[in-house]
Amino acid sequence: AWDEWHTDGGSPYDFVIVGGLSTGGTAGLALAARLSENPDQTVLVLEGGEQPDVVANYRTPGAALNLLGTVIDSGFVSIPQVTLKDRQITYHRGRTSGGSSAINGMVYGRGSSSIYNKWQELGNANWSWTDVFPLFRKSTSFLPQNLNDMDFFTYDPASFGNGPVPLTYPPWYPESSVSFIEAIGAIGVEPVQELTLGTNVGIKQIPNTITSDYQRSSSYNNYFEQAKSRPNLELRMLSQVRQIILEQQGSNFVATGVVYTDLAGGSTRNITAKKEVILSAGCHQTPQLLMLSGIGPQEILSTNGIPIYVANPNVGQNMQDHFYYSINVRVQEAASTEFLINDISRMQVAGQEYQQSHTGPLSYPGSGSTHGFQKLSKGELESLNATELIGSREDQAHIEYYWEPTFFPLLPTPQYAPRKNESYFSLTAGVLAPVARGNVSLQSNQIIDSPAINLNYMGAETDRRIAIEAFKRMRSILQQPQIQQWTIGPAGGEVSPGPAVQTDEEILEYILDTATTAYHAVGTCQMLPQDQGGVVDDRLRVYGVKGLRVVDSSIFPVVPDDHIMGPVYMVAEKAAIVIMEDWGL
Ligand SMILES: Cc1cc2nc3c(=O)[nH]c(=O)nc-3n(C[C@H](O)[C@H](O)[C@H](O)COP(=O)(O)OP(=O)(O)OC[C@H]3O[C@@H](n4cnc5c(N)ncnc54)[C@H](O)[C@@H]3O)c2cc1C
């Protein structure tokens, strides 16, 4: 019944990109910008959400956490998690031009070279660190600030190029973030000058994706802004793609376009792509769209009444993600940014300062930007019985330590609810080489229903052991004098979970009660040979369908040991190159 729907006529578009950072989201807009550099190629981006600046203060770094739950956030909720005592986890996700780069924490990283070498070893030619490092450089530029003269605000110019994504340090930092950097030496994490050159071990202040005048830079503000005046590039917002149009040509299927709903006008339309359809709808919605279009596991498709065109059991499987959990500490007011929540008059002063000069506490990303990355030695992995990581994922960071100037992640725990007349900071641990895999499935055969997201955090014993170990290491950091100079109250200020939690069993119980997502989901359409779990090949082409690629975080075959926006921009740069090569452009 595709031809019963309204058709946009003879399509002028070579490439039709769906959502994502390089399309409408993070990868989607970056890719669209690169493809449209060739004036002979026409590119259409269909984005389901609105433009991000419909939300006030979207570009104010200090307001980042306030974007969650607004109209530019899909706000998915996972299915009940057996591994997390049946809790359902809220999974924020950008639904806007710029995708998740428009609502994220603006922390920029790349991860260890061994991750990308592993991508190549698994069967993907030309994806090693040597291949991708120039693309990381190409996508970014570092905006030097005089802060570089200060300890821990360092960077190496060799790591950055002249690319669209600006990186710099905000002009305001809580002094106590430096105390964390000084204290973490107690567990062997040492200050380093740069983390983006392939060795992701150590600690420093982390640069943010913000402009020289300290405003958020999503892919809507960087890649797309630079390209939007080109006549061969069009971005249609509020255009929700519901299905890929597949045509059978002999024994092959070819993606010839998409069906989308114009959410503003209410009509449903077909649009054809002269060359390719590119999915950049992100790690949850790209597999959902494939399945709704008849590409995926037979059982899921049949259960939802979807005709099977290309059976591939790997679609939506193998999801890898970072989870984290926090220890919260009561501190003096000067060590925290809680005053922005607790005292409306101080929030107003900060608001005025940011409005006038883009400086002050609101120039600083709300969830902090001081992170340490720790590699566990072979001996430590052995003593934790982390057998799955030994020999395969040894040469990377295994634990990330975050410092946040708030009660994080902003929810009461079973042990403590934050109080208005108190201030807090927190230490958070993230497990960077998770063994357990989650998956994405369907709740129905309609795009308006969100995908069924199963995180399966800590579904493997190794993940639980590393999580417990990281908790104990955070407690050692908290005992250091540099931290204790700020704390208030008994037990070194620890209010959650507090001193009653001591044994491994008690610690695990606390983690299972409070762990949540770091929003780094990857792998649901992983780039691997199909018989090893792949959905796309190393040129990002979907197996079994011509004219269809995936370009977003879902293609990562191994999750990087870092925040993943930087790798998503890199993948968009790589995609632009392989697409142009494949079409001889
Ligand atoms: C709250 C949060 C905080 C984060 N913090 C950080 C951080 O500090 N640092 C970091 O490195 N990473 C961070 N991340 C992760 C990072 O931002 C994302 O992994 C990355 O942006 C994903 O890019 P993507 O292109 O794969 O997908 P997205 O950027 O999510 O893009 C998907 C796009 O597709 C659109 N779409 C989906 N379905 C359809 C459809 N059917 N039709 C049309 N459009 C559709 C969506 O509206 C969206 O715009 C964070 C993520 C979140 C959610």
Side-chain angles (χ1 to χ4, degrees):
W2 282 316
D3 46 7
E4 287 167 18
W5 286 318
H6 183 281
T7 302
D8 277 13
S11 171
Y13 302 105
D14 291 292
F15 298 100
V16 174
I17 305 178
V18 182
L21 176 131
S22 56
T23 51
T26 316
L29 285 180
L31 174 61
R34 286 297 183 207
L35 289 177
S36 62
E37 281 173 0
N38 182 332
D40 298 331
Q41 301 305 310
T42 45
V43 181
L44 172 68
V45 178
L46 296 170
E47 165 54 48
E50 301 188 54
Q51 63 189 52
D53 33 30
V54 295
V55 176
N57 302 325
Y58 133 76
R59 298 196 69 189
T60 306
L65 294 171
N66 301 22
L67 303 177
L68 307 180
T70 65
V71 68
I72 61 171
D73 174 15
S74 291
F76 296 138
V77 177
S78 77
I79 62 172
Q81 292 298 290
V82 179
T83 56
L84 298 176
K85 300 176 156 187
D86 282 336
R87 283 189 299 131
Q88 290 183 272
I89 305 293
T90 301
Y91 208 110
H92 300 291
R93 202 75 200 168
R95 179 179 54 192
T96 179
S97 306
S100 299
S101 69
I103 66 163
N104 71 12
M106 292 159 281
V107 170
Y108 182 83
R110 294 174 181 170
S112 297
S113 55
S114 66
I115 301 284
Y116 305 94
N117 294 335
K118 184 94 185 159
W119 288 18
Q120 169 145 301
E121 266 169 44
L122 290 170
N124 299 304
N126 304 319
W127 283 91
S128 72
W129 175 252
T130 313
D131 297 299
V132 300
F133 177 67
L135 303 173
F136 278 118
R137 280 194 84 236
K138 185 180 180 187
S139 60
T140 50
S141 46
F142 205 98
L143 310 172
Q145 306 288 340
N146 56 10
L147 283 169
N148 196 42
D149 300 333
M150 290 169 52
D151 286 349
F152 316 127
F153 292 92
T154 50
Y155 70 98
D156 185 335
S159 196
F160 309 96
N162 192 22
V165 181
L167 299 172
T168 196
Y169 296 112
W172 188 93
Y173 267 77
E175 197 187 332
S176 45
S177 67
V178 173
S179 309
F180 169 59
I181 295 178
E182 290 166 349
I184 199 172
I187 61 158
V189 180
E190 299 298 336
V192 289
Q193 198 216 354
E194 184 54 85
L195 286 166
T196 60
L197 282 163
T199 304
N200 195 41
V201 174
I203 186 159
K204 65 191 283 290
Q205 304 285 14
I206 306 293
N208 298 120
T209 44
I210 55 176
T211 56
S212 56
D213 65 344
Y214 311 122
Q215 297 193 74
R216 174 191 290 273
S217 180
S218 71
S219 61
Y220 182 66
N221 306 108
N222 47 58
Y223 278 94
F224 184 69
E225 182 65 28
Q226 294 179 8
K228 70 177 184 190
S229 61
R230 295 178 193 151
N232 59 330
L233 172 61
E234 183 182 341
L235 167 61
R236 287 189 200 165
M237 287 180 258
L238 289 171
S239 299
Q240 188 177 43
V241 175
R242 42 197 281 181
Q243 198 164 350
I244 305 155
I245 302 173
L246 299 180
E247 280 183 14
Q248 192 153 12
Q249 296 179 359
S251 57
N252 293 320
F253 282 97
V254 182
T256 56
V258 298
V259 182
Y260 75 96
T261 303
D262 166 5
L263 296 174
S267 61
T268 295
R269 294 167 171 266
N270 287 4
I271 189 99
T272 49
K274 286 195 282 182
K275 291 195 171 80
E276 289 193 8
V277 173
I278 299 161
L279 298 185
S280 300
C283 194
H284 307 111
Q285 286 158 297
T286 285
Q288 182 188 20
L289 262 176
L290 286 174
M291 290 188 253
L292 292 181
S293 309
I295 305 165
Q298 297 194 31
E299 200 188 318
I300 298 177
L301 270 50
S302 315
T303 309
N304 287 281
I306 299 168
I308 300 162
Y309 296 120
V310 179
N312 184 339
N314 309 323
V315 174
Q317 306 304 304
N318 302 303
M319 185 161 72
Q320 301 163 55
D321 201 354
H322 301 147
F323 62 88
Y324 58 39
Y325 53 88
S326 306
I327 300 180
N328 286 288
V329 180
R330 188 174 167 208
V331 296
Q332 298 161 34
E333 195 184 78
S336 163
T337 54
E338 295 269 337
F339 66 88
L340 292 171
I341 303 169
N342 292 343
D343 185 340
I344 186 69
S345 60
R346 293 186 66 189
M347 179 53 150
Q348 280 165 346
V349 171
Q352 276 160 6
E353 182 180 355
Y354 187 77
Q355 224 166 15
Q356 280 159 13
S357 57
H358 287 175
T359 57
L362 289 179
S363 66
Y364 175 74
S367 50
S369 214
T370 311
H371 301 249
F373 296 86
Q374 184 167 45
K375 178 163 93 171
L376 299 175
S377 67
K378 188 171 186 174
E380 287 170 322
L381 289 172
E382 276 167 359
S383 69
L384 289 167
N385 205 10
T387 45
E388 301 92 335
L389 306 182
I390 296 166
S392 65
R393 298 198 61 186
E394 276 175 49
D395 190 17
Q396 65 158 90
H398 300 102
I399 304 170
E400 178 175 0
Y401 301 95
Y402 303 54
W403 176 87
E404 300 95 357
T406 58
F407 193 100
F408 202 74
L410 308 183
L411 291 170
T413 68
Q415 287 79 8
Y416 205 78
R419 296 170 193 173
K420 201 168 161 42
N421 58 352
E422 295 180 350
S423 295
Y424 313 91
F425 62 51
S426 54
L427 295 197
T428 293
V431 172
L432 296 175
V435 172
R437 298 285 180 264
N439 57 65
V440 169
S441 178
L442 298 179
Q443 304 205 65
S444 78
N445 59 8
Q446 303 287 327
I447 193 69
I448 48 167
D449 291 320
S450 51
I453 301 173
N454 177 26
L455 304 164
N456 194 26
Y457 295 153
M458 285 176 282
E461 184 62 33
T462 292
D463 299 342
R464 294 193 285 272
R465 286 202 212 98
I466 292 181
I468 295 168
E469 176 66 19
F471 180 99
K472 293 177 185 167
R473 291 180 186 211
M474 287 202 289
R475 276 233 171 113
S476 306
I477 302 167
L478 286 169
Q479 281 158 17
Q480 302 310 308
Q482 297 93 334
I483 297 285
Q484 286 301 311
Q485 65 176 314
W486 299 108
T487 62
I488 295 177
E494 184 181 313
V495 292
S496 179
V501 169
Q502 288 300 336
T503 65
D504 283 8
E505 291 71 26
E506 289 162 349
I507 292 169
L508 181 60
E509 192 76 358
Y510 175 71
I511 294 170
L512 298 181
D513 278 335
T514 58
T516 187
T517 181
Y519 308 107
H520 296 165
V522 307
T524 50
C525 297
Q526 60 183 344
M527 172 176 70
L528 277 185
Q530 192 173 357
D531 59 5
Q532 287 167 45
V535 175
V536 299
D537 68 10
D538 57 11
R539 300 187 80 77
L540 308 177
R541 296 172 294 206
V542 175
Y543 290 117
V545 188
K546 287 195 172 143
L548 182 62
R549 281 186 226 246
V550 175
V551 181
D552 59 28
S553 48
S554 69
I555 67 104
F556 295 17
V558 178
V559 67
D561 51 345
D562 208 332
H563 302 240
I564 65 162
M565 162 178 49
V568 171
Y569 280 121
M570 176 277 285
V571 164
E573 290 284 2
K574 178 81 172 173
I577 292 171
V578 298
I579 291 169
M580 288 191 275
E581 279 174 3
D582 286 354
W583 287 98
L585 301 171

